[in-house]
Amino acid sequence: MHDRFDDARLTACAVAAGAGDRAALAEFVRATQRDVHRFLSHLASPADADDLAQETYLRALRALPRFAARSPARTWLLAIARRVAIDAVRTAQRRPRTDGVDDWEAVAAAAAARPGVVRSAADEAVVLRALVDALGPDRREAFVLTQLLDLSYAEAAEVCGCPVGTIRSRVARAREDLVEAMAGSSSDRQAEA
């Protein structure tokens, strides 16, 4: 797990950036960009994560002068990222696809699932990514925030705009879904052998 900036320091950077401090803004972006990108790559496709991260920071920069620090800056920023991802999904649903999409992740996952094949760390990452992506949107969001980005349940609840108990329930169900999917994947490989 990577070292996280102290939430108080990060929030102070956001407030200072909102007041026009360019150095504070640079520190704020540096400290949050990894979490924002990881979160967005799980909510949308990894190919879209860069564009969505840029949109997140554009919205955040416009809103920074009004940031009142009622919540930690990281939580505030991830809530913006969540809304950006939701807006992107809505836009994509309104716009028909005009070209095919190569599903390289599915091909890699299928190849890695063949009996007798030793999986590399990259293969394992693809399989895990596919399992997390297969979770329902609410469960995936709660799981990524708490288990991959290391937010507390309270912070994740604030990002998602729901009660803490709902986040706990979503994470528990996501874990159950992942364990079930992994068990199913394992038994499928054994049946093929």
Side-chain angles (χ1 to χ4, degrees), residues 6-16 28 67-74:
D6 175 74
D7 280 336
R9 178 176 164 201
L10 192 59
T11 300
C13 284
V15 170
F28 175 72
F67 176 63
R70 287 188 290 269
S71 64
R74 182 183 319 276

Side-chain angles (χ1 to χ4, degrees), residues 45-189:
S45 73
D48 294 335
D50 288 337
D51 291 337
L52 295 177
Q54 284 184 336
E55 178 62 24
T56 297
Y57 283 106
L58 286 173
R59 289 185 190 185
L61 289 175
R62 286 191 297 261
L64 265 174
R66 297 182 308 279
F67 176 63
R70 287 188 290 269
S71 64
R74 182 183 319 276
T75 303
W76 172 79
L77 183 62
L78 290 173
I80 292 172
R82 179 178 180 263
R83 287 190 296 276
V84 166
I86 289 169
D87 290 347
V89 168
R90 287 182 185 143
T91 300
Q93 287 175 341
R94 286 192 304 262
R95 189 178 328 134
R97 286 186 179 231
T98 57
D99 59 352
V101 176
D102 294 332
D103 194 4
W104 64 268
E105 289 179 325
V107 172
R114 277 185 262 137
V117 174
V118 177
R119 290 185 187 172
S120 69
D123 291 338
E124 289 291 335
V126 169
V127 171
L128 179 59
R129 167 103 193 166
L131 292 175
V132 171
D133 286 350
L135 293 171
D138 291 340
R139 291 178 185 180
R140 181 176 58 242
E141 187 175 75
F143 184 83
V144 169
L145 285 170
T146 58
Q147 306 305 301
L148 299 179
L149 297 183
D150 204 28
L151 263 60
S152 70
Y153 287 108
E155 291 169 327
E158 193 170 331
V159 168
C160 295
C162 65
V164 173
T166 301
I167 292 295
R168 290 183 190 281
S169 173
R170 289 176 182 172
V171 171
R173 289 189 180 120
R175 286 180 179 150
E176 291 170 2
D177 291 349
L178 290 171
V179 167
E180 185 177 305
M182 287 170 40
S185 174
S186 173
S187 65
D188 289 347
R189 283 194 304 271

